[in-house]
Amino acid sequence: MTATAVLTARALLLDMDGTLVNSDASVERVWRRWAERHGLDGDDVMKVVHGRQGYASMALLLPDRPMEQNHADNARMLAEETADTEGVVAIPGAPGFLASLRGVPHALVTSADVPLSTARMVAAGLELPAVRVTAESVGASKPDPEGFLKGAAELGVDPADCVVFEDSGAGIAAGRAAGMRVVGIGPRAAAHEPDVVVEDLTAVRVEYVAGDGAIRLHIG
């Protein structure tokens, strides 16, 4: 999906859903039930929800509803999603990609909370990064850059030296707003013009030079 490219960074910030984990089946089941309860078109709802925290999606879909109702609904939705891991699998190349990051500065930056992110990574058979920025860690959802900026700060790396891996429009916008370069993963990403885009993580090779802290990403 992209010509061969090499990006140099000092830290990598990784989204989860659609980037490391294919959770689309679970997301579809839970959000389409929510759409039906609220008399909304399921297809229209699915165009909005990827990459954002649930309450932020609800605020866009039901703009006149009090935000406290969105937060209460979001808590219920997170519990539903955490319990529903049927069909949750690793994105192709994700196990090897994460294994190649041992010793490399990286963090998970996800709109999921701790229970949901843990459940999905375990269901997909993936290692959880030691540094994680989850829904509990931030006050604003993607496309706000707060999560990525916090990930960079926790790793002690300047935002301009970070590369983000993302699949959604909201996540790509958040990475750009944080002043970071973005590798888009999969067909959703292609529509939002990341710096480079690949079908999946089999197209990414990580080379780490421990002496000078340089990460070279061979993409394509």
Side-chain angles (χ1 to χ4, degrees), residues 141-153:
S141 169
K142 299 171 186 176
D144 190 282
E146 181 185 359
F148 287 126
L149 292 172
K150 188 158 192 173

Side-chain angles (χ1 to χ4, degrees), residues 149-167:
L149 292 172
K150 188 158 192 173
E154 291 197 18
L155 293 171
V157 176
D158 188 275
D161 291 326
C162 295
V163 169
V164 166
F165 286 74
E166 263 287 0
D167 74 299

Side-chain angles (χ1 to χ4, degrees), residues 79-102:
E80 283 187 54
E81 289 184 285
T82 301
D84 183 358
T85 58
E86 183 180 352
V88 173
V89 296
I91 293 290
F97 174 72
L98 285 173
S100 75
L101 299 186
R102 291 173 189 149

Side-chain angles (χ1 to χ4, degrees), residues 110-127:
T110 175
S111 294
D113 63 2
V114 168
L116 179 57
S117 59
T118 302
R120 284 186 175 162
M121 292 288 281
V122 169
L126 297 176
E127 298 179 41

Side-chain angles (χ1 to χ4, degrees), residues 51-207:
R52 293 181 173 85
Q53 291 193 43
Y55 74 85
S57 296
M58 294 170 192
L60 292 173
L61 293 161
L62 297 173
D64 297 326
R65 192 165 78 151
M67 188 57 77
E68 59 267 24
Q69 291 185 29
N70 294 336
H71 282 287
D73 236 6
N74 186 47
R76 289 189 289 270
M77 295 281 283
L78 285 168
E80 283 187 54
E81 289 184 285
T82 301
D84 183 358
T85 58
E86 183 180 352
V88 173
V89 296
I91 293 290
F97 174 72
L98 285 173
S100 75
L101 299 186
R102 291 173 189 149
V104 177
H106 69 286
L108 187 73
V109 181
T110 175
S111 294
D113 63 2
V114 168
L116 179 57
S117 59
T118 302
R120 284 186 175 162
M121 292 288 281
V122 169
L126 297 176
E127 298 179 41
L128 275 160
V131 178
R132 301 187 286 275
V133 179
T134 59
E136 299 94 335
S137 309
V138 298
S141 169
K142 299 171 186 176
D144 190 282
E146 181 185 359
F148 287 126
L149 292 172
K150 188 158 192 173
E154 291 197 18
L155 293 171
V157 176
D158 188 275
D161 291 326
C162 295
V163 169
V164 166
F165 286 74
E166 263 287 0
D167 74 299
S168 71
I172 291 167
R176 288 194 178 283
M180 301 172 183
R181 291 153 294 158
V182 181
V183 175
I185 307 296
R188 275 196 295 266
H192 301 284
E193 300 185 346
D195 293 274
V196 294
V197 61
V198 293
E199 184 174 351
D200 57 46
L201 290 166
T202 62
V204 180
R205 181 170 65 86
V206 179
E207 177 188 0

